[in-house]
Amino acid sequence: MTDAHRESSGTFLTLALSGGGSRAMAFHLGCLRALNDRGLLDKVRVISTVSGGSVIGACLAYWGAEFAEFDRRMVDILRRGFNGSIARSVFFSGETPKIFATLLLTALPSFALGALGAVLSVIRVITRLPTRRLESGLARLSGLLPIWGSLTTAFENALARTIFGDTVIKDVRWKGVEVIINACDLRTGTAFRFGSEASGGWRYGRIEDNHIPVARAVASSAAFPLLLPPLIQKFSFVRGNRTSAQKVVLTDGGVFENLGVTVLEPGRNSGISVNSFNATHIISLNAGAGQVGGESSPFWWISRVKLSFETIHRKVQDATYSRLHQYARNGLLKGFGMVYLGQMDEQLPYASPDLVRREQVKDYPTNFAAMRQADLDALSLRGEQLTHIILDRYLSTL
């Protein structure tokens, strides 16, 4: 479909791919199969991605392959996983000396400075000595220590070596589509977005030279903080008539918003936001597991922190979807559809007898390990089935 045809149709269709590691990638693959069967992929104007959704979304946007070839290659990637390629990048690549230099010359001093700061904090509480300025100075000093390499730079290296090569964010091969890859800046606690047209964040402005490797954007978006350290990068930003060099500390986009829909919402101020769109329709692909079953008793530290994080995550998503439904009711959106892996099956408008049940797939882990064919088939088929159901019920006019 040509851009002129898209404009004349009055439809500005956007697509959001949530995070969720390999679970999200397999689920989204099934959803994309259904969208392709319906002829809707050719109508998408913007694709917004997070974490695992960024891996598959970037493959779709930057490979430039026919859908059947994209499908075949994605299945191969999911079957192999990323653990082996990351390990090779850690131990047998140009990242290896950088990682070990960082461990020896930065990690150990940083740990020592942190321990000293903790001791001073205890002394301050017990003795009331004025050590707070010294503690702050130690924290600043720790932040100045160089980071040459990490597991996340190894992940970037693996993505570049096995999937994206030296492709940069501007070189989209999916004709007529704008790409947004969502990350989170831990320095400011705000969204940071790599876009094929413009990259940056409202706290910094727009990156002056948008010549950013796709592998770096995807690695930033998928750097799950419990496993992968943030990616630290310095950019030259433009805001108004001013240019400034700023350091950003980028982690998984799901820390800020795991759905990727916020950037697509109507009413965003283009004078503040680096990326804003006039979307008429949003399709959200959400690989979340849904409501907690109540089987566990999260008393110990790991389980209670995990369940607390998941509860906060889910309630934030509920609020986001409430806004989107409100936009649709008020006419600010012509249509909105959520394809949700964790959808309660009994609440679907209809279900075929061969529907892959929620209980079969909801607990699949969100890592990037190699996936068994049976799990891949179940996750992708549920995505495909749910997408057809949601399109029939909520977006039949597209």
Side-chain angles (χ1 to χ4, degrees):
M1 175 176 280
T2 66
D3 289 347
H5 187 184
R6 289 175 176 177
E7 292 293 344
S8 65
S9 68
T11 297
F12 194 113
L13 175 62
T14 60
L15 178 64
L17 276 61
S18 80
S22 293
R23 181 176 76 194
M25 292 172 64
F27 179 72
H28 295 338
L29 178 59
C31 298
L32 293 173
R33 287 170 179 167
L35 292 171
N36 184 63
D37 290 343
R38 297 285 189 111
L40 291 179
L41 279 186
D42 288 338
K43 298 181 180 180
V44 171
R45 298 291 305 278
V46 180
I47 178 171
S48 172
T49 67
V50 180
S51 195
S54 292
V55 179
I56 184 171
C59 289
L60 182 67
Y62 291 96
W63 277 350
E66 293 295 326
F67 188 84
E69 175 64 12
F70 157 78
D71 192 325
R72 185 195 65 76
R73 291 173 65 182
M74 189 53 55
V75 168
D76 182 60
I77 286 172
L78 287 166
R79 294 285 285 122
R80 286 187 286 110
F82 289 101
N83 292 350
S85 57
I86 293 174
R88 284 191 291 275
S89 293
V90 170
F91 296 106
F92 305 106
S93 78
E95 292 301 306
T96 305
K98 299 176 186 177
I99 292 170
F100 283 92
T102 300
L103 289 174
L104 290 174
L105 302 177
T106 298
L108 292 177
S110 180
F111 177 81
L113 290 169
L116 180 56
V119 170
L120 289 173
S121 176
V122 172
I123 292 174
R124 173 169 48 81
V125 171
I126 295 174
T127 66
R128 304 291 180 90
L129 287 174
T131 65
R132 193 180 297 276
R133 289 181 63 183
L134 182 55
E135 294 169 45
S136 298
L138 291 173
R140 285 195 296 273
L141 180 60
S142 179
L144 293 175
L145 293 173
I147 303 293
W148 295 289
S150 68
L151 283 177
T152 305
T153 64
F155 184 31
E156 177 189 343
N157 178 275
L159 290 170
R161 180 165 40 81
T162 61
I163 300 179
F164 299 116
D166 57 0
T167 304
V168 297
I169 197 78
K170 296 184 288 187
D171 294 340
V172 179
R173 294 174 185 168
W174 181 4
K175 184 174 174 53
V177 170
E178 188 168 343
V179 177
I180 302 294
I181 297 174
N182 295 271
C184 174
D185 173 42
L186 286 179
R187 288 189 68 204
T188 58
T190 58
F192 193 94
R193 298 183 170 104
F194 294 97
S196 54
E197 298 296 325
S199 300
W202 73 269
R203 290 285 293 269
Y204 299 103
R206 175 176 51 82
I207 294 176
E208 187 174 26
D209 180 7
N210 203 27
H211 197 81
I212 299 162
V214 172
R216 183 166 303 163
V218 172
S220 300
S221 178
F224 183 59
L226 293 182
L227 300 175
L228 295 172
L231 196 65
I232 298 177
Q233 187 81 34
K234 182 172 282 188
F235 294 110
S236 177
F237 293 95
V238 177
R239 171 178 278 177
N241 296 322
R242 294 182 56 198
T243 301
S244 63
Q246 301 276 353
K247 180 177 73 174
V248 293
V249 182
L250 301 177
T251 194
D252 194 308
V255 172
F256 183 83
E257 192 257 311
N258 197 45
L259 302 173
V261 298
T262 302
V263 70
L264 305 176
E265 291 186 35
R268 287 169 56 81
N269 187 337
S270 59
I272 299 174
S273 304
V274 174
N275 311 100
S276 60
F277 307 97
N278 296 314
T280 61
H281 296 76
I282 297 175
I283 299 176
S284 170
L285 309 183
N286 181 358
Q291 295 293 325
V292 178
E295 298 88 359
S296 62
S297 298
F299 177 79
W300 301 107
W301 185 83
I302 292 177
S303 60
R304 70 174 184 258
V305 169
K306 178 177 180 290
L307 266 296
S308 297
F309 179 78
E310 289 177 356
T311 299
I312 294 169
H313 223 203
R314 194 175 62 255
K315 297 311 295 180
V316 170
Q317 291 186 10
D318 289 346
T320 301
Y321 282 134
S322 178
R323 288 198 308 274
L324 292 170
H325 284 299
Q326 190 66 39
Y327 292 143
R329 285 193 293 269
N330 293 343
L332 295 175
L333 284 174
K334 293 181 180 179
F336 163 65
M338 172 182 65
V339 185
Y340 188 17
L341 181 146
Q343 167 75 51
M344 295 298 186
D345 296 334
E346 61 273 14
Q347 296 178 4
L348 288 167
Y350 68 87
S352 58
D354 65 341
L355 176 72
V356 175
R357 310 303 296 181
R358 171 180 179 266
E359 288 71 23
Q360 295 175 243
V361 295
K362 69 179 182 67
D363 293 323
Y364 190 86
T366 58
N367 55 32
F368 287 109
M371 182 176 285
R372 295 188 310 124
Q373 188 66 50
D375 293 321
L376 197 165
D377 290 342
L379 283 159
S380 59
L381 181 55
R382 180 167 173 82
E384 194 170 355
Q385 292 170 327
L386 292 183
T387 302
H388 283 298
I389 292 171
I390 297 304
L391 291 175
D392 288 341
R393 173 63 178 83
Y394 297 104
L395 297 166
S396 60
T397 60
L398 282 175

